Amino acid sequence: MRKSHFALTILSVLSAILLSNLYQDDKVFDYVIVGGGAAGSLMASRLSEDSSKTVLVLHRGTDDVCVACDDASAADPAYINAGLHSRNGADYFTSPQLFTQRNIREVRTNLPGGGTRIYGSINIPSSKNLIEKRWPEGLKYDVMLPYLNKLQDHFCHYLPFDVTNITEGECTTWHGKPQDVGMSISPPIPGPDHDFARDLFHGAEKYNITYVPDPWNPHYQSKGSYSWGTHSFHNRQDVKDVQSKRTRESAWTGYLPLSLREKRTNLVYQTQSEARSLIYLRDLLWYPVAALRLWTLPSSNDSEVRVVGVRYEKGGEFRVAFARKEVVLCAGVEGTPHFLQNNGIGPADLLHRLDIPVVVDNPHVGQGIAAHQAVTMVFSAKKAIPVRPGNDASQARMLLSSPLNKGYPDMEIELFLGFPVSQLESASSGYDPLFFTTPSTDGSYPHASVLVEVVDPQWRGSINVTSSVFHSPSQVDYGWPRDAGSYAASEDYQKLSYGFKLIRDIFLGNNSFAEQHIESEIVPGGPERDFMHAAQVQHDIYHLTGGMNIGKATDLKGAVRGLSGLSVCDGGLVPHPPNGNPTTTILALCEYVADQIKAKV
Ligand SMILES: Cc1cc2nc3c(=O)[nH]c(=O)nc-3n(C[C@H](O)[C@H](O)[C@H](O)COP(=O)(O)OP(=O)(O)OC[C@H]3O[C@@H](n4cnc5c(N)ncnc54)[C@H](O)[C@@H]3O)c2cc1C
Ligand SMILES: *[C@@H]1O[C@H](CO)[C@@H](O)[C@H](O)[C@H]1NC(C)=O
Ligand SMILES: *[C@@H]1O[C@H](CO)[C@@H](O)[C@H](O)[C@H]1NC(C)=O
Ligand SMILES: *[C@@H]1O[C@H](CO)[C@@H](O)[C@H](O)[C@H]1NC(C)=O
Ligand SMILES: *[C@@H]1O[C@H](CO)[C@@H](O)[C@H](O)[C@H]1NC(C)=O
Ligand SMILES: *[C@@H]1O[C@H](CO)[C@@H](O)[C@H](O)[C@H]1NC(C)=O
């Protein structure tokens, strides 16, 4: 009696679940993309090119907020500080870093387009030598070049040689023809935008820093130390007129403009939808209707766990979406490992410690992250430096080869004129935000801020979940040394020291630039302060990559090892930190991965 009653209860519970699943929002697509940020926007655009394929993007943020976002300068602190507390905030903090034990803030956003909605639009590829030496076999420069070219709209295609200094042959070899994505660089003439930057280029020549017309050309990339004008998604009003108004372009406006989204009825970009777990082939018992519609699933590798969909949260409710072909994770450097580890895909020892059932032991998930290190120097200028609204605030850039370089430039110098550099590290309390507090009446500042960066860092860190609860923050660790002695002795600190010295020579030395423009050094204030200054203000400059390294956590096509039907593309996939701002390299790699996913039967 009791037994049959129990069985009946079980049966009715089971049928209630089955019934509710029948009527659930069980949508079946060819592709489901998790995260519609920089890489996710590209992936959505590429996978929906074929109108016979349906694509769903699950994106966690909202699509309203800043109407003028794509016109806004990333320099506006309102955007950078919008992160943490607004509903589109996705910021997180690292675990205590260095011997100063600081929790360093990583600025992120849940706006569609992700980081590229608030970023500096600096567009520079990894050097050829870096890709040749550090990327896995089978994924070298000749593989990447067509993709690096593809995401350009380079001015060499419509401005004459006497303006560009780039020959027709060089243009065809290293640059793409104008495409939908208007990613380009600001022409060198009449730029750089301000005589301060121009004089710096000339003043720097005697320090063996060459001004190059084309930093995408490997000939210049391997030269050692060079500077160039600002690079950006420029979206120039009139392409032939270098003076015409530029606006920033994000991956969102570049790859998924409204006009395209309106045309692609096979593409659904769904906001306020947070992916929470994966659905496997074996779970399909619970989704009979979807199972029927998924019967065309390609045959799977029996020794791998087959992913068939995603469970996500929208408006407090859980829903499901199924993928006939592939689920693609584009949730970002932190988001993707967080999602995977939380779902039992990651290093088994970590998952065991947290009582998360292991689905796949993939020891590379969340491991091997790399942070570009950045330390500021501030100089007072002899006269106020005008801030140009509409133009990118940073007007000059250099890649340098330190004496410890490994065959490609390993340092980057970013010059910020009128940019509140102190705000990049607002997580660090007690640090005096003095840099740009006294603008002149026209809004300009008598200061130049210089970021000295180590872009080929020796250290690797990790992103590890800290509990099985989905919203518990991950532990983000850069892997920097935790004692002063190791830090001082490290190769990376030697590189920083070299950078400080070089910048002092240029800004305070015997040269026409220093003479004309620079009053004095304010920060750090002298070589004797370099060490503590570096330890106190060093941060990551939001150029985190790795953690899903291609060839390690995934195969060479971006497919997560140990599962089928699951691929990744975002900053985490980059196998070695790019020696410049990362997004160009990330997007080129994702173009390649999109082709691999499309080519699967
Ligand atoms: C202030 C700032 C300035 C920068 N300047 C430059 C620059 O000048 N040049 C350059 O090259 N790079 C720059 N960057 C870096 C650039 O923004 C990143 O490299 C790029 O955005 C990384 O792309 P991504 O697709 O990996 O991640 P993101 O763009 O961060 O996209 C990931 C998205 O996934 C979503 N997501 C996460 N988890 C889930 C989930 N479970 N469900 C649904 N959605 C989810 C998030 O909302 C997020 O929007 C800058 C970054 C910042 C913050
Ligand atoms: C082009 O290159 C030549 C030779 O290197 C140089 O003299 C000239 O200044 C360059 N022009 C521009 C516009 O950069
Ligand atoms: C520039 O390079 C030359 C030739 O290699 C070298 O002699 C000189 O010391 C270098 N100057 C600086 C400032 O590094
Ligand atoms: C993250 O987990 C991995 C796997 O257990 C471990 O090797 C690594 O040290 C962890 N990272 C930190 C910072 O503890
Ligand atoms: C500064 O440089 C100029 C020319 O490069 C040189 O003639 C002069 O002696 C230098 N002055 C000092 C103090 O080194
Ligand atoms: C099936 O998956 C296993 C484990 O990932 C892998 O070693 C094997 O090569 C795969 N077989 C095929 C035919 O892809």
Side-chain angles (χ1 to χ4, degrees):
M1 202 45 187
R2 261 191 189 161
K3 258 188 184 165
S4 68
H5 186 232
F6 180 69
L8 208 66
T9 311
I10 295 283
L11 201 69
S12 52
V13 168
L14 282 182
S15 33
I17 292 174
L18 278 176
L19 263 172
S20 73
N21 282 347
L22 272 184
Y23 293 104
Q24 213 167 356
D25 185 17
D26 59 341
K27 293 188 179 134
V28 179
F29 296 80
D30 289 298
Y31 301 105
V32 174
I33 296 170
V34 172
S41 298
L42 179 155
M43 199 52 77
S45 181
R46 291 299 319 282
L47 296 181
S48 63
E49 277 167 354
D50 175 351
S51 61
S52 72
K53 299 288 184 301
T54 54
V55 179
L56 171 70
V57 183
L58 297 172
H59 185 67
R60 123 174 122 179
T62 61
D63 183 19
D64 49 5
V65 214
C66 52
V67 179
C69 245
D70 290 306
D71 284 329
S73 166
D76 185 344
Y79 288 104
I80 291 179
N81 289 312
L84 204 51
H85 304 293
S86 79
R87 69 202 143 133
N88 270 311
D91 294 7
Y92 48 86
F93 288 91
T94 67
S95 52
Q97 301 295 298
L98 291 177
F99 60 94
T100 46
Q101 292 286 300
R102 288 175 302 123
N103 301 92
I104 296 175
R105 179 180 169 193
E106 285 284 345
V107 175
R108 288 292 182 271
T109 177
N110 289 325
L111 281 168
T116 61
R117 289 293 286 274
I118 54 170
Y119 81 153
S121 311
I122 307 305
N123 168 14
I124 175 88
S126 257
S127 291
K128 178 181 177 181
N129 279 356
L130 183 151
I131 294 177
E132 294 290 27
K133 284 173 191 244
R134 304 287 174 221
W135 284 36
E137 218 44 67
L139 205 50
K140 297 294 191 186
Y141 190 73
D142 58 341
V143 177
M144 292 311 294
L145 181 60
Y147 298 106
L148 287 168
N149 285 353
K150 193 179 173 207
L151 48 90
Q152 294 182 34
D153 175 15
H154 200 278
F155 61 77
C156 66
H157 285 290
Y158 41 79
L159 293 178
F161 173 77
D162 64 349
V163 174
T164 65
N165 255 9
I166 299 173
T167 67
E168 216 169 290
E170 288 169 336
C171 187
T172 315
T173 311
W174 311 120
H175 299 291
K177 283 246 154 52
Q179 304 230 357
D180 295 341
V181 181
M183 193 184 206
S184 185
I185 72 178
S186 304
I189 291 292
D193 296 289
H194 185 256
D195 58 357
F196 184 95
R198 203 177 44 239
D199 293 346
L200 173 69
F201 289 140
H202 295 307
E205 266 162 25
K206 83 179 219 194
Y207 303 95
N208 293 341
I209 296 165
T210 326
Y211 177 50
V212 302
D214 184 7
W216 290 67
N217 182 337
H219 168 68
Y220 298 112
Q221 292 177 339
S222 56
K223 231 181 178 176
S225 299
Y226 54 89
S227 55
W228 73 94
T230 302
H231 292 52
S232 54
F233 283 101
H234 75 161
N235 221 349
R236 198 174 291 283
Q237 224 167 31
D238 172 358
V239 291
K240 293 197 163 62
D241 176 6
V242 293
Q243 296 279 32
S244 69
K245 184 175 163 14
R246 283 178 281 179
T247 54
R248 290 170 65 250
E249 187 157 55
S250 66
W252 173 245
T253 52
Y255 290 101
L256 294 175
L258 187 60
S259 55
L260 181 137
R261 279 179 282 139
E262 281 170 350
K263 263 184 252 150
R264 301 242 173 123
T265 49
N266 57 327
L267 169 67
V268 178
Y269 187 104
Q270 198 170 290
T271 54
Q272 289 174 285
S273 301
E274 182 176 68
R276 298 288 282 275
S277 58
L278 291 167
I279 302 171
Y280 304 109
L281 194 61
R282 60 179 183 233
D283 303 325
L284 280 182
L285 273 177
W286 299 100
Y287 304 100
V289 171
L292 279 175
R293 294 179 61 196
L294 283 163
W295 71 275
T296 50
L297 271 178
S299 62
S300 69
N301 181 338
D302 286 343
S303 57
E304 291 185 327
V305 184
R306 178 72 164 97
V307 173
V308 298
V310 176
R311 209 161 147 266
Y312 65 98
E313 185 268 325
K314 184 168 176 60
E317 261 175 45
F318 279 93
R319 304 187 189 189
V320 290
F322 297 95
R324 258 186 299 259
K325 290 179 158 295
E326 196 86 3
V327 170
V328 188
L329 300 177
C330 303
V333 167
E334 187 266 353
T336 293
H338 181 97
F339 176 84
L340 285 173
Q341 291 172 356
N342 189 267
N343 276 283
I345 300 159
D349 56 338
L350 168 71
L351 302 176
H352 285 144
R353 285 202 295 277
L354 301 170
D355 285 329
I356 298 173
V358 178
V359 176
V360 170
D361 175 15
N362 184 326
H364 299 292
V365 170
Q367 314 308 304
I369 66 162
H372 283 175
Q373 302 151 42
V375 177
T376 54
M377 296 180 86
V378 183
F379 297 89
S380 67
K382 285 193 167 148
K383 44 187 188 259
I385 301 161
V387 177
R388 309 257 167 121
N391 280 353
D392 198 346
S394 35
Q395 292 155 350
R397 246 139 253 284
M398 297 173 204
L399 282 192
L400 309 175
S401 294
S402 82
L404 297 167
N405 81 82
K406 306 278 190 334
Y408 44 85
D410 55 353
M411 301 195 65
E412 184 174 352
I413 303 295
E414 301 200 56
L415 184 68
F416 291 96
L417 309 174
F419 188 91
V421 168
S422 64
Q423 307 245 0
L424 287 174
E425 180 61 316
S426 58
S428 151
S429 60
Y431 191 71
D432 187 8
L434 66 93
F435 307 153
F436 294 107
T437 49
T438 49
S440 60
T441 47
D442 67 348
S444 60
Y445 300 89
H447 294 111
S449 240
V450 183
L451 285 191
V452 179
E453 303 168 14
V454 173
V455 290
D456 190 30
Q458 70 182 107
W459 295 308
R460 296 295 179 272
S462 59
I463 289 172
N464 289 346
V465 286
T466 53
S467 104
S468 59
V469 177
F470 191 85
H471 286 132
S472 299
S474 285
Q475 177 187 10
V476 179
D477 195 290
Y478 299 150
W480 293 346
R482 289 202 161 75
D483 65 287
S486 305
Y487 179 59
S490 70
E491 183 179 299
D492 288 20
Y493 182 70
Q494 301 312 310
K495 289 184 184 179
L496 281 174
S497 294
Y498 166 80
F500 296 151
K501 183 180 177 314
L502 185 81
I503 293 302
R504 276 196 188 100
D505 284 351
I506 296 173
F507 277 67
L508 303 171
N510 179 20
N511 66 73
S512 60
F513 163 75
E515 221 161 82
Q516 279 180 61
H517 292 285
I518 303 301
E519 189 74 48
S520 62
E521 174 182 331
I522 304 177
V523 174
E528 71 286 356
R529 304 190 54 169
D530 285 355
F531 180 69
M532 273 317 287
H533 173 69
Q536 277 168 351
V537 307
Q538 176 170 332
H539 55 79
D540 155 55
I541 202 167
Y542 322 132
H543 290 175
L544 214 51
T545 52
M548 288 302 297
N549 301 36
I550 193 164
K552 287 187 171 169
T554 74
D555 68 9
L556 280 190
K557 298 176 174 188
V560 181
R561 287 201 204 275
L563 299 98
S564 56
L566 186 67
S567 292
V568 169
C569 202
D570 54 36
L573 204 62
V574 178
H576 188 91
N579 63 336
N581 311 54
T583 308
T584 304
T585 308
I586 295 171
L587 295 180
L589 185 56
C590 290
E591 281 278 1
Y592 159 85
V593 170
D595 276 355
Q596 309 311 307
I597 293 173
K598 288 174 81 153
K600 284 190 188 179
V601 281

